[in-house]
Amino acid sequence: MTLLDGKKTSEAIQQEIAAEVAELKAGGARAPHLAAILVGNDGGSVTYVNNKVLACERVGFASSLFHYEDTITEAELLNKIEALNQDDAIDGFIVQLPLPKHIDPEKVLEAIDPQKDVDGFHPMNVGRMVAGLPAYLPATPAGILQLLERYKIETSGKHCVVIGRSNIVGSPMSILMAKSAYPGNCTVTICHSRTVDLPSYTRQADIIIAAIGKPEFVTADMVKEGVVVIDVGTTRVPDASRKSGFRLKGDVNFDEVAPKSSFITPVPGGVGPLTIAMLLKNTLKAAKKEVYA
Ligand code: GUN
């Protein structure tokens, strides 16, 4: 069993980005600039956004964080998005999800200029990804592709079972894994809450990508020997022995499944760090105007 070290891989990618940023700056360009909009005080979202801002500093980017109370109106949020669309000093920005119930996330995502949509959530980028045109790929799926590639995991002709159909992970992941490319060329099955006899699919899987947010959902009896396991879950479960009062649990029962796996991601330290690295990579592409050249 090989552990897929997301932390190490993320650090390697961030070093590559930092070297490119240093080169850009040496050539007289300003630092790439990522902005993040955060609404409310959900613990997970605050941590993620703070980590994204810290990562910007590490690679030499500029960053701006706009943190609003969850009483902000949809109109006020849309105004802020339009201001960021127009601000030439900002290369890309994200609106951290989820948003409070009174704000329509689709309206918000569609308001973002696709050229600055470094999360890759705008329908324009989703459509371009599906069509195989240059696009910002959503960071978590792109990070999983990086892990597969950097660990040289064979994907061609393999059966990849994606558990979960969210717009952020499951749905784009299934499309990317089926593409005529490496990593890709898989036969893909998407399983979700309405799937009948889900274990009958996961038992046939050469690669499992679990993204449903149910702690330890995938158990040893659900996988075959030699499976590659990518665990996207990061559910906070109470843990009185931790200073924070919680710990992160993946969608896979790691202790049970790891001995049957050829490759597996840990939680934490697997997919999570890659998401941040790929967001930075998209921001660098935005600064270099690479995607919509
Ligand atoms: N919420 C969970 N994952 C993400 C992400 O990748 N980007 C944003 N903006 N919100 C998220």
Side-chain angles (χ1 to χ4, degrees):
M1 185 271 292
T2 302
L3 202 63
L4 295 169
D5 188 337
K7 192 160 178 280
K8 205 177 77 185
T9 308
S10 174
E11 280 164 8
I13 294 169
Q14 289 182 52
Q15 273 175 18
E16 292 161 18
I17 295 170
E20 251 197 79
V21 172
E23 228 174 86
L24 282 176
K25 286 184 186 169
R30 65 163 171 77
H33 190 161
L34 174 71
I37 297 178
L38 173 62
V39 180
N41 288 293
D42 171 74
S45 292
V46 172
T47 304
Y48 291 141
V49 171
N50 284 334
N51 285 340
K52 288 170 185 177
V53 169
L54 286 173
C56 283
E57 287 171 20
R58 276 201 299 275
V59 297
F61 285 6
S63 65
S64 302
L65 171 57
F66 302 99
H67 192 172
Y68 298 103
E69 294 298 327
D70 58 12
T71 49
I72 188 174
T73 65
E74 188 178 89
E76 285 168 332
L77 186 58
L78 292 173
N79 278 339
K80 182 63 197 173
I81 289 170
E82 190 47 31
L84 294 178
N85 284 341
Q86 301 299 334
D87 188 341
D88 288 340
I90 287 177
D91 297 296
F93 65 97
I94 63 160
V95 180
Q96 186 67 25
L97 303 176
L99 288 165
K101 286 203 166 44
H102 65 278
I103 298 175
D104 178 357
E106 256 117 53
K107 241 191 198 171
V108 166
L109 296 179
E110 283 196 59
I112 298 172
D113 178 347
Q115 303 194 38
K116 294 192 175 188
D117 170 39
V118 285
D119 255 335
F121 293 166
H122 189 287
M124 172 84 88
N125 281 310
V126 178
R128 289 174 68 103
M129 174 195 71
V130 174
L133 296 167
Y136 293 112
L137 298 186
T140 301
I144 293 169
L145 295 183
Q146 284 285 317
L147 263 185
L148 294 170
E149 188 176 337
R150 289 179 188 236
Y151 279 86
K152 300 186 168 57
I153 293 171
E154 182 59 74
T155 59
S156 181
K158 304 292 183 189
H159 183 196
C160 175
V161 172
V162 178
I163 315 176
R165 53 181 162 181
S166 73
N167 288 342
I168 294 181
V169 186
S171 175
M173 201 68 239
S174 65
I175 290 161
L176 292 166
M177 292 305 283
K179 278 201 181 293
S180 176
Y182 176 75
N185 280 315
C186 284
T187 302
V188 177
T189 302
I190 312 179
C191 293
H192 47 73
S193 55
R194 301 294 176 94
T195 299
V196 176
D197 195 7
L198 189 146
S200 70
Y201 296 98
T202 53
R203 276 188 211 111
Q204 297 174 42
D206 302 304
I207 301 169
I208 294 177
I209 300 175
I212 39 165
K214 287 192 181 163
E216 301 188 331
F217 179 82
V218 178
T219 47
D221 59 306
M222 289 168 65
V223 308
K224 69 178 183 187
E225 283 292 336
V227 65
V228 175
V229 179
I230 308 289
D231 187 349
V232 187
T234 52
T235 307
R236 290 181 166 197
V237 297
D239 183 345
S241 72
R242 300 283 178 98
K243 207 167 67 183
S244 62
F246 69 86
R247 70 198 154 101
L248 291 183
K249 261 202 196 258
D251 289 347
V252 177
N253 185 322
F254 184 90
D255 292 344
E256 268 187 43
V257 173
K260 290 181 84 173
S261 310
S262 54
F263 295 88
I264 186 166
T265 58
V267 175
V271 174
L274 264 305
T275 298
I276 291 187
M278 299 316 287
L279 174 67
L280 297 175
K281 212 161 174 164
N282 276 349
T283 306
L284 182 59
K285 284 184 182 170
K288 292 167 75 180
K289 307 246 181 291
E290 253 178 41
V291 176
Y292 289 86

